[in-house]
Amino acid sequence: MFYVNGNGGPIPIRFGEDLNFISPNLNIFLSDNPATVEIDGKTMESAFGGLFSNTVQSFDFTASDQIDQIQFNNYMPSFNVGTNQNELQVYIPGEYEINFMIRIAPVEVPAQTVSAGVRQDGNFIDSTLQYSILSTTENTILQGSVIEFLSGQVDLAFYSTGVAAFDLALRTNATLTIERISPQP
């Protein structure tokens, strides 16, 4: 027996039991490895992956409109997503949930600003771009979570808004994860 979370709490399910009582458009095949889900007869193919950094990195922008990719030194689990150095390779195009976080150490010079966001094939995804004034007293955190159509390579980068010099904070200082949420056509 296992449980599926429903609107009113966990619903007990016995193996081999028909799950159409949850939704007539939902089929879950537990005998598949990994389990697969169909919505309206369309297969929900799993795809996810992530990267993170826990090493200090330094950035020095001398003008606006400069771009510098964040370097990742650790891989998170992935399935149907390639993990290249500093980027994720999307093998199954579709709608993905993108989550990212960057922690910037306090800076010495006040009034510095910077933008950061996720890029697809070298172009920033507008809905991910974050902007902040860098703090002189505490870590500055840039983070976001969006749903976008992805295919190709995905990475995380800074986009300068002027002169700025800063380091990423100690310990885990950057993360990038993607998870496919759309069924196949």
Side-chain angles (χ1 to χ4, degrees), residues 132-165:
S132 185
I133 298 172
L134 302 179
S135 175
T136 58
T137 58
E138 56 190 40
N139 288 339
T140 301
I141 298 175
L142 297 169
Q143 61 186 357
S145 178
V146 300
I147 296 172
E148 286 285 343
F149 183 87
L150 294 180
S151 64
Q153 276 107 6
V154 179
D155 69 356
L156 187 58
F158 285 109
Y159 181 66
S160 69
T161 55
V163 175

Side-chain angles (χ1 to χ4, degrees), residues 16-75:
E17 188 172 341
D18 184 8
L19 298 177
N20 283 342
F21 70 91
I22 296 172
S23 169
N25 301 326
L26 175 70
N27 291 310
I28 301 174
F29 302 101
L30 298 174
S31 58
D32 293 348
N33 187 9
T36 59
V37 176
E38 284 185 358
I39 301 171
D40 286 328
K42 297 176 183 173
T43 303
M44 182 70 183
E45 179 111 20
S46 294
F48 57 84
L51 301 166
F52 74 95
S53 167
N54 57 6
T55 60
V56 174
Q57 299 174 51
S58 296
F59 296 88
D60 189 4
F61 294 109
T62 58
S64 297
D65 301 324
Q66 294 177 321
I67 296 172
D68 201 351
Q69 182 186 53
I70 293 176
Q71 306 297 302
F72 291 100
N73 63 324
N74 290 289
Y75 300 101

Side-chain angles (χ1 to χ4, degrees), residues 83-95:
T83 50
N84 303 321
Q85 184 176 6
N86 306 319
E87 65 186 19
L88 298 171
Q89 174 66 49
V90 176
Y91 296 133
I92 304 171
E95 284 82 22

